[in-house]
Amino acid sequence: MVTKWVADRGFGFIKPDSGGDDVFLHIKALPLGSEPQEGTRVTYDVTNDARSGRSRAVNVHTRSQ
């Protein structure tokens, strides 16, 4: 679930359903023209960000309820 979205900066964070640390989400990981709202449930893959060394979401899509 998207727990924070900063629209004017194009990033936010996802709280994994399995728990653990939040995953960074950048607008480039979303389909063109889409933007999540806080509370949106999403599916995604996780990769390591080369610059920060932290987890980063990729291939992000809104999940059906």
Side-chain angles (χ1 to χ4, degrees):
M1 175 173 55
V2 177
T3 57
K4 181 173 182 144
W5 182 251
V6 183
D8 61 328
R9 304 227 17 229
F11 75 91
F13 296 92
I14 298 170
K15 181 69 168 175
D17 289 340
S18 60
D21 293 335
D22 287 355
V23 178
F24 178 78
L25 168 61
H26 191 272
I27 195 155
K28 289 183 180 180
L30 300 163
L32 188 61
S34 67
E35 188 173 304
Q37 301 293 318
E38 291 180 8
T40 302
R41 293 192 137 335
V42 293
T43 60
Y44 59 97
D45 297 316
V46 177
T47 188
N48 246 1
D49 186 290
R51 289 191 311 174
S52 69
R54 294 187 174 173
S55 296
R56 177 184 195 109
V58 293
N59 303 320
V60 179
H61 298 280
T62 301
R63 185 168 69 181
S64 301
Q65 298 293 335

